[in-house]
Amino acid sequence: MRILERVREQTAPPEGGVKPGFSDEALPHMDAVYRFALRLGQGRESDAHDLVQETFLRAYRSWDTYKRGTECRSWLFTICRNQFLKSASRLSRTQEIPTSQIDADVESLAASAVFSAVQHADPEKEFFDSFVDEEVMAAIDRLPDTFREAVVLSDLEGMGYPQVSEVLGVPVGTVKSRIFRGRRILQEALYEYALEMGYVGPRGQA
Amino acid sequence: MNEQKMIPCDHVIAQLWEYLDGELDELRSQEVRQHLERCARCFPEHDFRGAYLKLMRRCSTQQVPVELRRRIFETVLEEEHEAATAARPASGTGILERARFTLRRLLCGD
């Protein structure tokens, strides 16, 4: 559609009316911020709209505090997340998980139950090909908050551990354990779902 | 053939996510790669996790709805307007009007 294309192409608002650099550096990340906001709010569309709007408003107001040349996307994600936590705290957000429960070394060695199950059930090795986007998003949305945000930043947005650490404000070791654990929970959820839907047979019956 | 000692399987599995995420330094990455090339047990696990990451990437395509994009532009312009009128009551409006005009044209596909 013509209008749609034009609006998409022209991410920058008109010249002259905007703080220098804002349209070039911040606005191109609108899609990424939108995706992040959607997952933070477990897919609730209207919440995500408000959150993204609020994020860009705040980003615009505090544009002077953004260090030019650093990663703008991380900066925007941080604002978005803080904003989300502020509103979520009113709705009693889940407690932080004690670090003793999530150690990166232990987590990375944890048995990949899904892998061995799928190896038996899906000899064609096409397990992950059977899912459509909506199914994956629904599974992500059911992850506990702590793991969800780490997995989203890392796996959906392709951020490295240091960047995720910056956005979440926790050490890289903690980021790793959250990502690894989150991936394991997510894979298990996808496997359960695949069994239910008959995408794969039960263990031992391909 | 280079027959240097391979690192054991559990070391590879422990570093596999970091390997796939490109977070290992060159030396450790090479150790894992060499192991994977020769180990029939670890390689399928590598493929499986790689397929997971590919799926996640494939799913990350949602774009901001046009309506929201428009709202954000308007929010920013509104904010600029307030800043301009607060700072210089008379002179900011010309720019703003021009901006609004351009934006409307843009949104209407004119």
Side-chain angles (χ1 to χ4, degrees):
Chain A
M1 212 179 142
R2 241 174 103 233
I3 302 169
L4 209 129
E5 284 311 312
R6 276 173 181 243
V7 175
R8 273 203 189 121
E9 280 166 19
Q10 191 79 33
T11 38
E15 284 173 32
V18 172
K19 295 187 185 183
F22 187 79
S23 50
D24 291 341
E25 291 190 58
L27 291 179
H29 298 297
M30 220 186 269
D31 289 328
V33 173
Y34 172 66
R35 286 192 295 266
F36 185 47
L38 258 183
R39 300 282 74 82
L40 281 177
Q42 295 170 289
R44 287 183 296 269
E45 192 81 33
S46 70
D47 288 357
H49 282 220
D50 294 344
L51 183 54
V52 176
Q53 189 180 7
E54 189 63 28
T55 299
F56 278 94
L57 178 61
R58 288 187 177 260
Y60 183 79
R61 282 179 183 162
S62 53
W63 186 240
D64 307 337
T65 67
Y66 166 68
K67 286 196 212 97
R68 301 294 283 273
T70 61
E71 227 216 287
C72 192
R73 191 174 55 146
S74 300
W75 186 71
L76 292 166
F77 282 164
T78 308
I79 297 175
C80 181
R81 181 173 176 270
N82 287 340
Q83 205 50 39
F84 171 75
L85 291 182
K86 243 189 252 173
S87 54
S89 68
R90 289 198 297 268
L91 308 162
S92 80
R93 184 176 144 78
T94 49
Q95 292 300 303
E96 282 291 298
I97 292 159
T99 43
S100 60
Q101 280 182 31
I102 44 167
D103 180 277
D105 297 334
V106 174
E107 195 52 54
S108 59
L109 268 174
S112 358
V114 174
F115 169 63
S116 32
V118 167
Q119 260 203 321
H120 287 93
D122 177 34
E124 302 302 316
K125 295 191 180 65
E126 287 168 354
F127 175 66
F128 290 118
D129 293 340
S130 48
F131 301 101
V132 297
D133 295 10
E134 290 72 22
E135 294 167 333
V136 178
M137 292 306 136
I140 292 174
D141 289 344
R142 284 194 298 272
L143 283 174
D145 293 2
T146 315
F147 302 119
R148 192 170 68 250
E149 56 187 13
V151 165
V152 166
L153 292 173
S154 157
D155 297 357
L156 291 184
E157 297 307 324
M159 294 183 115
Y161 305 156
Q163 295 167 294
V164 178
S165 150
E166 192 191 322
V167 174
L168 301 183
V170 295
V172 168
T174 309
V175 163
K176 284 200 273 184
S177 58
R178 287 183 187 178
I179 294 172
F180 301 163
R181 167 81 73 96
R183 285 172 179 172
R184 197 151 58 85
I185 302 174
L186 181 58
Q187 290 180 0
E188 284 164 6
L190 287 172
Y191 178 65
E192 289 298 319
Y193 179 80
L195 273 181
E196 224 172 87
M197 299 299 287
Y199 293 166
V200 291
R203 191 170 181 157
Q205 306 171 21
Chain B
M1 177 83 85
N2 181 7
E3 275 307 324
Q4 56 188 192
K5 202 161 170 275
M6 281 209 301
I7 52 169
C9 289
D10 57 347
H11 286 210
V12 172
I13 297 302
Q15 299 180 89
L16 198 48
W17 277 131
E18 287 166 274
Y19 173 75
L20 284 162
D21 289 333
E23 299 271 358
L24 291 181
D25 62 36
E26 188 43 47
L27 179 68
R28 287 165 74 204
S29 182
Q30 197 181 332
E31 286 174 348
V32 173
R33 190 162 46 244
Q34 280 172 351
H35 180 106
L36 288 171
E37 279 166 8
R38 301 182 209 171
C39 181
R41 262 194 305 166
C42 294
F43 195 72
E45 172 113 26
H46 164 274
D47 275 2
F48 178 76
R49 294 193 192 186
Y52 160 82
L53 291 174
K54 232 172 86 185
L55 169 71
M56 295 295 274
R57 274 310 157 73
R58 191 196 80 196
C59 291
S60 186
T61 52
Q62 276 160 306
Q63 293 183 318
V64 176
V66 173
E67 185 48 43
L68 176 58
R69 193 173 289 267
R70 187 192 315 233
R71 250 170 72 186
I72 291 169
F73 284 154
E74 285 178 351
T75 304
V76 169
L77 286 172
E78 208 65 53
E79 188 67 13
E80 178 64 25
H81 175 64
E82 277 169 33
T85 36
R88 294 167 291 148
S91 63
T93 37
I95 290 167
L96 186 83
E97 282 313 309
R98 194 157 51 84
R100 279 187 187 288
F101 176 70
T102 317
L103 181 74
R104 294 256 178 267
R105 269 189 53 193
L106 193 74
L107 294 174
C108 297
D110 192 20

